[in-house]
Amino acid sequence: MKLKYPKEVTIGYRTFTVEYLKDLAGGAFSFEDNSIAIGLQHKKLDPSCTYNIICHEVLEICMALSKVRYIDNSTEDNYKFFLDHKEFEMVTATFSKAIQQFIK
């Protein structure tokens, strides 16, 4: 599988700008400015790490848009995900459509 590195992607009903950062090991997204940051620090050492980061951010966006991501007040900067099978189907459909934008 070969990855594409689009500058913009549509996830659900929102369009995000995507920035690829050589010095970042992880990823992040923001609904405030509709942006996604993807770390490329381990791209040469482990190409699957980059794909994992992309999947992580895209899936988390899908879950947040579907309202199945909740703040975990017992831990700082943590989230919990609760969903039934119908919600899982909806998240999976959104994710599978979105992730195709990163695959050649």
Side-chain angles (χ1 to χ4, degrees):
M1 176 177 66
K2 298 211 181 237
L3 293 179
K4 289 193 296 192
Y5 297 93
K7 294 180 181 180
E8 276 192 355
V9 295
T10 300
I11 302 173
Y13 55 88
R14 294 179 88 145
T15 300
F16 294 82
T17 58
V18 186
E19 187 175 12
Y20 303 92
L21 304 170
K22 293 178 182 177
D23 296 330
L24 182 65
F29 70 90
S30 168
F31 284 134
E32 289 180 25
D33 60 0
N34 291 318
S35 66
I36 304 171
I38 303 296
L40 300 177
Q41 189 174 29
H42 300 295
K43 182 180 173 186
K44 288 183 182 177
L45 181 64
D46 182 9
S48 67
C49 182
T50 301
Y51 183 63
N52 181 52
I53 293 166
I54 292 168
C55 287
H56 176 109
E57 298 307 323
V58 171
L59 182 55
E60 191 165 355
I61 290 168
C62 293
M63 291 184 149
L65 290 174
S66 299
K67 308 286 190 226
V68 297
R69 183 184 78 156
Y70 303 89
I71 294 172
D72 179 2
N73 291 319
S74 66
T75 311
E76 189 174 330
D77 294 327
N78 197 23
Y79 295 97
K80 288 189 177 182
F81 303 88
F82 296 100
L83 57 161
D84 63 23
H85 196 262
K86 283 183 181 180
E87 292 164 326
F88 178 76
E89 287 289 326
M90 182 176 57
V91 168
T92 302
T94 305
F95 174 79
S96 64
K97 186 172 182 179
I99 203 66
Q100 291 178 46
Q101 297 168 85
F102 291 93
I103 301 171
K104 286 187 182 183

